[in-house]
Amino acid sequence: MKIGLEQLRLRTVLNLGVRRQMDLQTSVRVQLVNLIALLGIVSNLQYSVLFTVVSAPNFWIMNGIHFAVIITFVYILYLNYIEKYSLARILTVVTITIPVFFASMISFGNSCGFYYYFLVFALSPFVIFSYDEKFWILFVFLYNNLLYVWFEFFGSPGTFEEGTLIHKESIQELFRVNSVVSCLFFVALIMFYFLRNINRIQKEMIRTNAHKDRIFSILAHDLKGPIGTMNSFLGFLMETTPDRDELIIALKELKKSTNQSYLVLENLLDWVKSESKKIPINLDTVNLSKMVHNAKDILNLQASDKGIQWELQVPSNVFVHCDERMISTVIRNLFSNAIKFSFPNTKINVEVVQDPSFVELIISDSGIGMSVEQIQQIYEGKPFPTTFGTQGEKGTGLGLLVCSEMLKNQGCIMALTSSPNIGTKIRIQIPASL
């Protein structure tokens, strides 16, 4: 448990300033700045202790510099938190060179290999700046390389007082080895983190392409049918003079096709928004009974055509704390699925169970049900192949996924139980209005 909490804190710090609406590449750069800031804090603390222990020249001055640099790195984390990303990046590439510059200038010269860090710092802008910030990439790369060349070829060894640990050649050699190993470690860690996120970007591209293909498939198949039906009936009404019964039948079919097209389009748009993390959430106190009856009225025609009866046990004074548009979409989707997959001449039961902290909406149907694999795919957020209703009604496979995502974003819980050819029961727990 303790290890889990420590990992959670570290992940929280690494994700400071990362927002849901960010693209993956931008979020990676923010995380890398946070990572460099954390490494800077740890390494400055480490070297402050080591310089004191070995009595390095001017170690009190260096401790003051280390302290100032640590405060700056903490401030950089804060800048990311308040979304001052550009300033945080610029301050990072400037700050990381300061302790190494002063350690090489006033304490060690080109002894102990501290100036090797400039080679690592020369690479840092390539991973934390975007291609559009070419000036900063080139500037940081050049001045770090110039500092390295200066100390390597024009610098002089430090002067160490006899009797101190740092005066010993073996200690100086240990510092040099530590500098080389630390440089390699920092490069490996940053590159590993970068490669890990490149892999995430590649997976995101594959997922995006799959979503694009699914959108085209839905537009080509699931909207083509109802729109074709509407076109046929409108042509029939324009070319003939139907009697009253024929007109009612045609209008009912038009209404069904319109509702089906609207639901498909709404699910598609909500799914795209949820995948791109761009659905705004507006929580408020709303009447659950009103939303249930509105959804029933919209879909009553489809239910009547299949001889399906409603059994509503929803008190009129039940209030919940949620996003009204989202919950209305969820209820409408669940009712539509219940009608689509119910056997003709059966019942759909809707009831409410109230608790001090939440309201549970239970929707039960008598239909073809779902397999264990389908339920698992819904819980995992994976689209599953399009299935057909009991009278050949076609779905998109998105309805329950959209519902699951919308409920999760509001702190609601959805639980499914189903048995093939018996029916499905869906329980939704919505926070109660206080």
Side-chain angles (χ1 to χ4, degrees):
M1 181 65 178
K2 186 177 179 181
I3 294 175
L5 289 174
E6 290 173 353
Q7 290 175 342
L8 180 62
R9 292 193 196 101
L10 177 60
R11 183 173 297 176
T12 301
V13 175
L14 288 175
N15 285 290
L16 282 175
V18 176
R19 301 291 181 255
R20 286 185 50 169
Q21 68 271 19
M22 279 183 175
D23 62 83
L24 190 54
Q25 294 185 31
T26 303
S27 66
V28 168
R29 284 194 289 270
V30 174
Q31 290 172 333
L32 285 169
V33 170
N34 291 335
L35 177 62
I36 291 172
L38 282 175
L39 292 174
I41 292 170
V42 173
S43 61
N44 276 274
L45 283 172
Q46 168 199 340
Y47 279 117
S48 183
V49 173
L50 289 175
F51 289 175
T52 303
V53 170
V54 301
S55 299
N58 302 308
F59 70 86
W60 285 116
I61 297 175
M62 284 306 305
N63 283 346
I65 293 169
H66 287 311
F67 178 76
V69 168
I70 289 170
I71 295 299
T72 305
F73 280 130
V74 172
Y75 180 61
I76 287 168
L77 293 173
Y78 173 72
L79 286 175
N80 272 341
Y81 176 73
I82 62 174
E83 301 182 20
K84 302 288 185 180
Y85 305 119
S86 296
L87 181 57
R89 289 197 294 270
I90 294 169
L91 200 55
T92 297
V93 294
V94 172
T95 304
I96 54 179
T97 61
I98 291 174
V100 176
F101 176 80
F102 281 103
S104 300
M105 184 65 72
I106 68 175
S107 290
F108 298 93
N110 59 13
S111 304
C112 304
F114 285 103
Y115 60 96
Y116 297 157
Y117 284 100
F118 290 122
L119 295 177
V120 178
F121 301 154
L123 299 176
S124 62
F126 292 95
V127 295
I128 66 174
F129 287 105
S130 68
Y131 179 75
D132 294 333
E133 299 169 300
K134 296 184 286 292
F135 167 79
W136 283 107
I137 295 175
L138 184 62
F139 173 72
V140 175
F141 177 77
L142 288 177
Y143 89 70
N144 275 286
N145 276 285
L146 288 174
L147 288 173
Y148 171 78
V149 170
W150 172 262
F151 285 106
E152 176 69 57
F153 297 103
F154 302 100
S156 56
T159 302
F160 308 117
E161 185 179 345
E162 288 191 24
T164 60
L165 284 174
I166 195 60
H167 187 267
K168 297 180 180 180
E169 288 288 338
S170 59
I171 299 298
Q172 294 180 35
E173 190 64 27
L174 281 176
F175 270 105
R176 188 175 292 105
V177 171
N178 180 72
S179 296
V180 173
V181 172
S182 296
C183 286
L184 292 174
F185 172 77
F186 290 156
V187 170
L189 184 60
I190 292 173
M191 294 308 296
F192 177 80
Y193 196 83
F194 188 72
L195 289 173
R196 169 181 170 269
N197 287 288
I198 288 293
N199 185 52
R200 285 173 56 197
I201 291 171
Q202 290 175 337
K203 289 181 178 179
E204 180 71 14
M205 290 175 63
I206 293 171
R207 189 176 69 91
T208 301
N209 285 332
H211 289 172
K212 178 195 68 177
D213 293 341
R214 189 170 186 84
I215 289 169
F216 287 153
S217 174
I218 291 169
L219 292 175
H221 300 289
D222 299 307
L223 283 178
K224 183 179 178 182
I227 290 174
T229 301
M230 286 188 282
N231 185 59
S232 299
F233 277 102
L234 286 172
F236 168 73
L237 293 174
M238 290 177 65
E239 294 171 3
T240 63
T241 306
D243 57 30
R244 186 176 183 280
D245 291 338
E246 290 177 328
L247 183 60
I248 291 174
I249 292 172
L251 290 175
K252 282 185 175 181
E253 290 300 324
L254 283 172
K255 176 66 174 174
K256 285 169 58 179
S257 296
T258 302
N259 284 344
Q260 184 180 351
S261 299
Y262 177 78
L263 194 60
V264 168
L265 189 58
E266 186 179 48
N267 282 342
L268 182 60
L269 292 175
D270 285 334
W271 180 61
V272 171
K273 286 180 181 178
S274 70
E275 291 297 319
S276 59
K277 313 297 183 185
K278 292 182 179 178
I279 297 184
I281 300 174
N282 301 306
L283 300 179
D284 200 0
T285 299
V286 294
N287 189 315
L288 181 61
S289 176
K290 181 180 177 181
M291 291 188 289
V292 168
H293 282 87
N294 284 343
K296 170 186 169 293
D297 291 342
I298 290 172
L299 298 167
N300 211 28
L301 181 59
Q302 285 93 316
S304 298
D305 284 349
K306 294 184 75 170
I308 293 173
Q309 301 294 317
W310 299 92
E311 284 197 1
L312 302 183
Q313 301 175 47
V314 183
S316 59
N317 59 344
V318 179
F319 292 89
V320 291
H321 187 66
C322 64
D323 184 301
E324 183 174 7
R325 186 188 67 83
M326 286 189 179
I327 293 296
S328 295
T329 300
V330 168
I331 295 173
R332 195 160 56 247
N333 266 287
L334 297 181
F335 281 6
S336 176
N337 281 348
I339 296 167
K340 187 185 304 176
F341 299 111
S342 287
F343 296 117
N345 304 312
T346 55
K347 293 181 180 180
I348 294 175
N349 298 293
V350 183
E351 60 181 308
V352 162
V353 176
Q354 299 188 64
D355 186 88
S357 57
F358 64 85
V359 174
E360 188 172 60
L361 179 66
I362 305 171
I363 303 167
S364 308
D365 66 60
S366 301
I368 60 177
M370 288 185 289
S371 66
V372 175
E373 291 77 14
Q374 286 176 318
I375 294 175
Q376 187 63 31
Q377 283 178 307
I378 292 167
Y379 283 142
E380 293 175 357
K382 297 178 181 178
F384 50 82
T386 299
T387 53
F388 292 88
T390 52
Q391 291 186 340
E393 306 99 321
K394 191 175 181 182
T396 64
L398 293 179
L400 282 176
L401 291 180
V402 171
C403 293
S404 178
E405 186 68 22
M406 286 185 170
L407 292 169
K408 188 190 305 179
N409 290 340
Q410 299 177 79
C412 303
I413 299 173
M414 181 172 72
L416 294 87
T417 55
S418 187
S419 300
N421 296 319
I422 295 178
T424 300
K425 179 179 287 188
I426 298 179
R427 298 174 179 270
I428 302 172
Q429 289 184 1
I430 309 171
S433 178
L434 301 178

